[in-house]
């Protein structure tokens, strides 16, 4: 493989630990406000609605809608279904922005900081610009650029997201690498000519994880974490 010019990252699950972050934050919120709820089950249901809600946009059932707005619609429904009482509108707005405050995996910031020295780095995410920028500021993700879904009015795995990022960078797909903890994401990227890197995050979904424990295919790079990806790409640059 040749050294890429830019490395783009799936974000939810690959760079940030969405499940543990939200469980901790919403549980603490409920405890402080004396609001009773099965927060862990609500968060798992919230994430389960992620792909179906985007599919409604993709199929034309909804006009273009940002992920923040899709998340909020799902949260409003789930609060009612789980029978959680006592949440004002400002509470719901705050909880919905928990997705803006997700914690990175322990290796993410260090590895990204190393990669930034030699490569353009940024998220290629279904998150919207505000979500990704706020997340980066909150935990110190050192992105050069955020490639958010509202730049393209498409959600992955639509080809417009992958190729649109390459176009904005004025790079050929072969000069761009996608790093993800999800094999399906990498399959689409590779089909469009991007280089690929896999990082396993076997605890992303907690006890509900059923796939992506390992690489399904011989991707260009298979790394233990973002720091290991930096090691491997430094070796490629030196050859």
């Amino acid at each position: 493989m040749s050294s890429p010019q830019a490395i783009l990252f799936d974000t939810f699950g690959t760079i940030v630990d969405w499940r543990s972050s939200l469980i901790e934050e919403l549980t603490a919120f409920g405890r402080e406000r004396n609001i009773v709820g099965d927060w862990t089950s609500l968060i798992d249901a919230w994430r389960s609605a992620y792909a179906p809600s985007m599919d409604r946009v993709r199929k034309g059932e909804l006009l273009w809608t940002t992920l923040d707005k899709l998340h909020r619609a799902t949260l409003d429904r789930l609060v009612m279904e789980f029978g959680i009482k006592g949440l004002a509108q400002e509470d719901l707005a705050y909880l919905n922005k928990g997705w803006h405050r997700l914690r990175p995996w322990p290796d993410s910031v260090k590895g990204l900081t190393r990669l930034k020295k030699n490569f353009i780095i940024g998220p290629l995410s279904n998150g919207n610009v505000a979500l990704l920028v706020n997340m980066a500021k909150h935990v110190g993700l050192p992105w050069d650029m955020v490639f958010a879904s509202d730049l393209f009015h498409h959600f992955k795995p639509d080809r417009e997201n992958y190729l649109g990022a390459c176009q904005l960078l004025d790079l050929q797909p072969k000069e761009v690498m996608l790093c993800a903890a999800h094999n399906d994401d990498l399959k689409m990227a590779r089909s469009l000519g991007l280089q690929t890197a896999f990082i396993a995050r076997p605890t992303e979904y907690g006890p509900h994880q059923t796939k992506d424990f390992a690489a399904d295919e011989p991707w260009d790079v298979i790394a233990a974490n973002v720091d290991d990806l930096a090691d491997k790409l430094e070796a490629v640059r030196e050859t």
Side-chain angles (χ1 to χ4, degrees):
M1 59 172 287
S2 59
S3 178
Q5 300 297 307
I7 308 169
L8 308 182
F9 291 83
D10 170 73
T11 304
F12 300 120
T14 303
I15 297 298
V16 295
D17 179 4
W18 59 266
R19 187 174 187 269
S20 295
S21 299
L22 289 171
I23 289 172
E24 181 177 315
E25 178 165 330
L26 270 66
T27 300
F29 178 89
R31 186 186 306 115
E32 291 165 4
R33 298 289 300 277
N34 198 29
I35 295 175
V36 178
D38 184 352
W39 300 109
T40 297
S41 295
L42 182 145
I43 288 158
D44 286 333
W46 204 357
R47 183 61 172 182
S48 293
Y50 172 76
S53 66
M54 291 186 296
D55 279 343
R56 293 188 64 200
V57 176
R58 189 175 290 112
K59 294 173 182 176
E61 296 175 16
L62 292 174
L63 295 177
W64 168 253
T65 306
T66 65
L67 188 60
D68 267 342
K69 292 180 180 179
L70 293 176
H71 275 158
R72 177 58 192 271
T74 300
L75 178 62
D76 289 348
R77 173 176 60 81
L78 291 174
V79 164
M80 295 182 63
E81 290 180 7
F82 279 79
I84 298 174
K85 308 295 184 183
L87 292 172
Q89 288 299 307
E90 56 266 29
D91 296 326
L92 292 166
Y94 175 80
L95 294 179
N96 195 53
K97 285 198 171 181
W99 292 92
H100 294 220
R101 300 184 292 270
L102 303 178
R103 294 193 311 272
W105 297 105
D107 56 274
S108 293
V109 173
K110 178 184 176 185
L112 290 173
T113 301
R114 289 179 60 195
L115 289 165
K116 184 181 174 73
K117 295 176 183 178
N118 296 311
F119 307 96
I120 298 166
I121 62 168
L124 182 62
S125 172
N126 287 325
N128 43 286
V129 170
L131 188 162
L132 295 171
V133 169
N134 290 338
M135 183 195 300
K137 294 293 285 185
H138 184 67
V139 297
L141 299 174
W143 303 128
D144 292 308
M145 165 71 176
V146 295
F147 296 99
S149 56
D150 47 341
L151 296 179
F152 313 113
H153 283 203
H154 284 271
F155 292 115
K156 292 188 299 178
D158 290 356
R159 61 189 288 121
E160 287 85 354
N161 298 64
Y162 307 87
L163 296 180
C166 297
Q167 183 177 24
L168 287 172
L169 289 171
D170 194 22
L171 294 173
Q172 295 298 312
K174 66 182 180 180
E175 298 175 300
V176 178
M177 171 177 281
L178 178 69
C179 176
H182 311 118
N183 286 280
D184 287 347
D185 204 356
L186 295 179
K187 288 176 185 176
M188 176 56 74
R190 186 172 63 185
S191 75
L192 297 170
L194 281 73
Q195 295 189 48
T196 53
F198 178 83
I199 292 174
R201 299 298 192 188
T203 62
E204 177 186 354
Y205 288 88
H208 308 293
Q209 185 124 347
T210 59
K211 61 179 182 178
D212 294 323
F213 292 103
D216 288 350
E217 300 185 26
W219 307 115
D220 295 304
V221 178
I222 298 173
N225 51 48
V226 182
D227 209 31
D228 185 42
L229 176 65
D231 286 339
K232 288 180 164 57
L233 289 179
E234 284 173 9
V236 171
R237 290 185 77 247
E238 292 170 0
T239 58

